[in-house]
Structure formats: structure tokens, C-alpha cells
Amino acid sequence: MRKVAVLGSTGSIGCSALEVVKAHPGRLAVAALAAGRNRDRLREQCESFRPARVSVATEEDARWLEAQLSYKPEIVSGAEGLMACALHEDADTVLAAIVGAAGLPSTEAALRKGRRVCVANKESLVVGGELMRRALEAGGGELLPVDSEHAALHQLLAGRAPADIAELRLTASGGPFRDWPLDRIRAATRDEALNHPTWKMGPKITIDSATLMNKGLEVIEASVLFGVGPEKIAVTVHAQSQVHAMVGFTDGTYQLQVCANDMKLPIQYCLLHPDKVPGPVPPYGWDQARSWTFEAPDLERFPCLGLAFDALRAGGTAPAILNAANEVAVAFFLEGRLSFWDIQACVRETLNAVPSEPMLDLPQALDADRRARAFAETWAARLAR
Ligand code: NDP
């Protein structure tokens, strides 16, 4: 029986993870749940899964939850509470599904503790990639990727020698603006950007999918996870989101990973690895007629993807700077204060203005994040409507 600490349990990934846990009562149980402000959903989750430790955003939320629950778990709060859930002594597995750079310290601590860490929080790998690798080595545990493309690559690469690999190719749906002309993209509204054609996700990652920054972050994530440089990572736009990744071998052949576009599949892959057992998602429907398309990404209409490759090539803290500027710009966009096209401009300006440095430790990564965030906020506030 695996006991799981779900960090970010009330989010899109967190809720899917709990569905996976529910589908495998004899194999998976919940040791701890950590969330932010959605206390109603957390209360329901606590009643269903009865975790021994629960973390909420504030002490006031903790008092509210204590009064609501029909049993008496340990209730903790804030960044310390999140950390306590990540390190719960009964949890052998941690699902890191907080959104944003706020997820870094808990992911790192769980890796250092030698847990199996299933990472959805791609920012942990983008901002602190090298540090996460060091924490993994120090702890001797496992790091498994929840992101569907990386879970696909993990499966495709199993048992392969690095010398056999010519390239890792991630697929991108292309987002809602895949076939829009540049002029229309520049003026895209919040509702248009939130209308993702193939995936249902949290708002931040949905905007990142519309700019293709999500794919850029995933390129950096792949480099960290699989130890390959930018010259061996490529992106293909595949609007149907059924092929999740491809591996090109040195003999010129490719292998593709195919499954339904449902995050419960990669989540189950990580939680139950290496076992493959029936779960909550039905087998792929090959009886249905299907058409798949593959196109090259257009970096003129989607410059964020090119900026992410630039940051990966620059190395050090450049990916952290890219990520921080993007988080700020997306938040401004979601509040209606910046235009869609301003997101890429904010990231570009921040990368130009904040110098990147070699990555030494977690405080330094978080400092690069803070400096980039401060610059991006000032830049965005000047432009804000
Ligand atoms: P959501 O916005 O849906 O959920 C985020 C979760 O994090 C919520 O539970 C939220 O709590 C919690 N949270 C946010 N900040 C804090 C904090 N400071 N302390 C504790 N909890 C916090 O995001 P997603 O589930 O979509 O994404 C989560 C991560 O997974 C992201 O890094 C994303 O890039 C990645 N990912 C997501 C995919 C998807 O399909 N959604 C696919 C691949 C990767 P609350 O809501 O209670 O405030």
C-alpha cells in the first residue's frame, strides 16, 4: 500500500490524483492533503479520504476546518504546513501539484527525504532543476514526472541507452490560437485564451498553453529530467493531443506514446510505477476513426517558446527568471491589466534586464525568482490598464 501526500489537492491535478487513489483502494491511500484557499473542497476531500495531516493557507482557515470536520486530523497552515505535509512520516509518495514557484521548497524537501516524488509542479524543475537533481541524489528516492509529455518520455526511454537517443520530441496541442493570424493573437481576450481545445486545466497553465510558454517550460523540464541539452529536444504541434511525446533513435526510427488526453493516466503511471493496471480511464478507443495532424511550431506567432529555448541555452538562473516574469505577466493578463501580447514582451524584457547567474542553491534560485518578479511587476504596472 502506497501512502500519498497530495500537495495542491484542491487543484485540477490534485482532484484527478484523488480520483486515481479512489480507484485503487487496496493499493493507494492518502496520508496528507495540502491546499490553499479552497477550504470547502478540502473539507469534502478530508471527509472522503481521512488524511492524518491537513494543511490550509491560514490559521483562520485551520480553525474553520477543525470546527467543520467529523474527525480530528492534525491541521497545520501556511508554508510550514505545506512542508509538514510534504514530509509526513507515513507518506512514502508525494504528489507535488502546487501551482507556481511556491511549490519549490516542498518538492525539494521531499526529494531530499528520499520519497517517491511525482512532480506536476513543473516550476520546481524549471526554476530549480539542478537543485532538484542534487536533492534526488542526496535522498536516494525517485523523481517521476506527472506532466503527460514527460510521463510519456519516461515510458519511451525505459531501458534505452543514452547513446541510442537522437532526440526527444514533445507534442503541443497548439492551444486555442493554433491557426489564428498574428494580428488576431495580439488582441486575444482572457476568455478566448482560457478556452483550451483539448485539455481542462487550471487557469495559469491554460494561459501558458495559449502562449506556448507551457511547451517552453516543458522543454526545460525535459532537459532537467532526462539530462539532455536543447539541441536534442524538439516540439511538434499535434492538435489532437493523443500522441504525447516521441523519441527519435540514432537509427532514424521513432517511437510514439499514445493515450487519451486525461491526466489521470500519467498520475496513475507515477503513483503505481512500475505497475500497469486497469484504472479510472477506459482503454484507448481505436474503433473510432481518427485523423492526426503534425505541424512545426511558428515562433513568430508564439515567441514564448523561443524565449524558453533561449533561457535553457543560457542556463544558470535564466529559466528561473523566465518563469518568474511569465507568472507575473500571466497574473496581470488574468486580471485584465495586460494584453495577451504583453505577456511575451514582459518575459523578453525581464530576461534582457535581469542578469542570469550560475545556480548554486535554493535561496539563490528563490532570490533570482524574487528579482525577476520585482522587475516584471514594475514593467507590467507601467503598462497596466
Ligand atoms: P490549479 O490552479 O488547478 O491548482 C493549484 C493547487 O495549488 C490548488 O490546490 C491550490 O489551492 C494550491 N496552492 C496554490 N498555491 C498554494 C500555496 N502557496 N500553498 C498551498 N497550496 C497552494 O493548478 P493545476 O492543478 O492545473 O496545476 C498544478 C501544477 O501542475 C502546475 O505547476 C501545472 O503547471 C502542473 N500541471 C498541470 C496540468 C493540468 O492538466 N492541470 C498538466 C501538467 C502539469 P487552492 O485552490 O485551495 O487555493
Side-chain angles (χ1 to χ4, degrees), residues 91-333:
D92 47 30
T93 302
V94 175
L95 179 84
I98 297 285
V99 64
L104 241 80
S106 49
T107 307
E108 204 244 7
L111 284 168
R112 209 163 271 287
K113 203 76 178 169
R115 305 287 197 249
R116 166 177 292 189
V117 185
C118 309
V119 180
N121 177 254
K122 58 187 79 187
E123 296 85 351
S124 289
L125 299 169
V126 170
V127 176
E130 214 177 306
L131 307 176
M132 298 303 148
R133 290 226 67 90
R134 276 187 234 155
L136 172 66
E137 272 163 37
E142 289 171 283
L143 169 53
L144 294 172
V146 168
D147 230 342
S148 58
E149 296 77 358
H150 305 80
L153 287 172
H154 196 265
Q155 294 171 66
L156 291 167
L157 291 169
R160 294 288 181 184
D164 294 346
I165 309 303
E167 69 166 15
L168 309 183
R169 192 164 278 271
L170 306 172
T171 57
S173 71
F177 309 144
R178 181 178 56 85
D179 49 12
W180 284 26
L182 182 56
D183 281 356
R184 202 170 159 212
I185 292 177
R186 290 173 80 102
T189 66
R190 181 180 182 278
D191 285 350
E192 287 167 336
L194 283 172
N195 184 23
H196 196 279
T198 52
W199 290 101
K200 185 118 201 58
M201 308 178 285
K204 156 74 170 52
I205 186 172
T206 304
I207 301 303
D208 288 347
S209 298
T211 58
L212 287 205
M213 179 59 94
N214 182 49
K215 210 47 56 181
L217 298 177
E218 288 178 3
V219 165
I220 300 171
E221 200 183 348
S223 174
V224 171
L225 283 166
F226 304 111
V228 293
E231 69 290 348
K232 281 193 165 188
I233 306 176
V235 172
T236 288
V237 176
H238 165 54
Q240 297 77 25
S241 300
Q242 307 285 294
V243 175
H244 298 278
M246 322 177 191
V247 170
F249 296 94
T250 40
D251 62 359
T253 60
Y254 276 79
Q255 285 187 5
L256 283 60
Q257 197 259 7
V258 177
C259 65
N261 49 339
D262 188 326
M263 287 306 294
K264 290 193 280 302
L265 287 167
I267 292 169
Q268 173 169 314
Y269 172 72
C270 293
L271 293 180
L272 294 181
H273 179 73
D275 297 345
K276 296 246 185 212
V277 295
V281 182
Y284 195 73
W286 285 108
D287 291 345
Q288 261 174 276
R290 298 191 185 262
S291 299
W292 289 348
T293 54
F294 298 96
E295 304 157 35
D298 178 350
L299 297 187
E300 202 187 322
R301 288 185 302 133
F302 300 101
C304 285
L305 180 57
L307 292 172
F309 268 104
D310 291 346
L312 177 59
R313 278 187 282 267
T317 54
I321 295 166
L322 171 100
N323 177 69
N326 182 58
E327 280 189 24
V328 169
V330 170
F332 269 74
F333 173 69

